[in-house]
Amino acid sequence: MAVRVQEAAFDPGLEVNAMHAANAGVGAVVAFVGYVRDFNEGREVAGMFLEHYPGMTEKALAKIAAEAQQRWPLLKVEVLHRIGALEPGEPIVFVGVASAHRQAAFDACNFIMDYLKTRAPFWKKEMTGDGPHWVEGRQSDQDAAGRW
Amino acid sequence: MNVKVMYFARYRERLGVDAERVEGAFAVLDDVRQALVARGAPYDVLGEQNLMCARNEELCKLDEPLEEGDEVAFFPPVTGG
């Protein structure tokens, strides 16, 4: 299990391939990649800044990944989240889960994203034509996390 | 009791400070929050219904007991991912 919080860009394709690596016991890899959109809630988004809580961020992500490993038989879990300045089209987050069979990987990946969105201390600030503004938390994300 | 209080995102900008030390007779985390809100604007932002908080880098609820030297944090709902 690995957790990375970084400013640097990453290549989602490389991350997906690394989930299998040389482990022939892996029968399924499910990956989620989140990207910065150029349009949100009626505004064009020119860029984004991701603030976080250094120290707590890494702990929170590790705790979520560990909980996924307790709930499902997983062979590998990778969580990568970017911080700092990002542009539309850039990947923000990668969650990769490897398991012997697909269902555990699908469910665990979904679970990790739902928990990340409601428990990991990141905050998005969007740069728009109206100036910068903070993205507000959504009830639908709370509801999604509540189903686990 | 002396605790370190940290603020993030919209709260940090509104308060114009990212961290401060606060002294008082605090039993639980909500005692700190209430003492700060009592300062008046702009600290009234900590009265928001959906405020989130952490103690020593772990999410917790407002009834979390505190100890001397704890690091507590207040922030709006998280929006990563």
Side-chain angles (χ1 to χ4, degrees), chain A residues 84-138:
Chain A
L86 289 102
E87 292 180 9
E90 286 195 84
I92 307 179
V93 59
F94 173 87
V95 173
V97 179
S99 58
H101 303 286
R102 74 184 185 286
Q103 207 59 54
F106 271 125
D107 289 350
C109 189
N110 211 356
F111 163 85
I112 291 169
M113 273 311 299
D114 282 347
Y115 267 42
L116 184 153
K117 290 206 78 102
T118 51
R119 286 165 166 76
F122 294 102
W123 300 272
K124 286 176 183 156
K125 189 179 202 181
E126 290 176 343
M127 311 304 162
T128 72
D130 304 335
H133 76 102
W134 293 99
V135 173
E136 294 293 328
R138 298 194 313 183

Side-chain angles (χ1 to χ4, degrees), chain A residues 6 10 21 26 34 38 42-43 58 62 66 71 78 81-82 89 94 96 98 100 125-126 130 132 137 146:
Chain A
Q6 63 185 49
F10 65 89
V26 170
D38 63 359
R43 297 186 184 93
E58 294 80 357
R71 292 187 184 212
E78 293 278 331
H81 205 296
R82 291 183 66 195
F94 173 87
K125 189 179 202 181
E126 290 176 343
D130 304 335

Side-chain angles (χ1 to χ4, degrees), chain A residues 2-144:
Chain A
V3 163
R4 284 171 284 167
V5 178
Q6 63 185 49
E7 285 190 29
F10 65 89
D11 179 337
L14 289 178
E15 297 296 335
V16 173
N17 287 334
M19 291 305 298
H20 183 272
N23 187 346
V26 170
V29 170
V30 171
F32 173 83
V33 184
Y35 295 88
V36 181
R37 286 181 299 154
D38 63 359
F39 199 80
N40 191 29
E41 290 173 2
R43 297 186 184 93
E44 289 208 24
V45 176
M48 178 179 282
F49 188 86
L50 260 155
E51 179 170 332
H52 77 126
Y53 182 171
M56 177 173 166
T57 311
E58 294 80 357
K59 281 187 193 174
L61 294 176
K63 190 174 171 184
I64 293 165
E67 189 164 343
Q69 286 185 309
Q70 281 175 0
R71 292 187 184 212
W72 292 277
L74 307 178
L75 296 168
K76 189 169 181 173
V77 179
E78 293 278 331
V79 181
L80 197 175
H81 205 296
R82 291 183 66 195
I83 51 172
L86 289 102
E87 292 180 9
E90 286 195 84
I92 307 179
V93 59
F94 173 87
V95 173
V97 179
S99 58
H101 303 286
R102 74 184 185 286
Q103 207 59 54
F106 271 125
D107 289 350
C109 189
N110 211 356
F111 163 85
I112 291 169
M113 273 311 299
D114 282 347
Y115 267 42
L116 184 153
K117 290 206 78 102
T118 51
R119 286 165 166 76
F122 294 102
W123 300 272
K124 286 176 183 156
K125 189 179 202 181
E126 290 176 343
M127 311 304 162
T128 72
D130 304 335
H133 76 102
W134 293 99
V135 173
E136 294 293 328
R138 298 194 313 183
Q139 185 58 43
S140 57
D141 288 331
Q142 296 293 333
D143 295 343

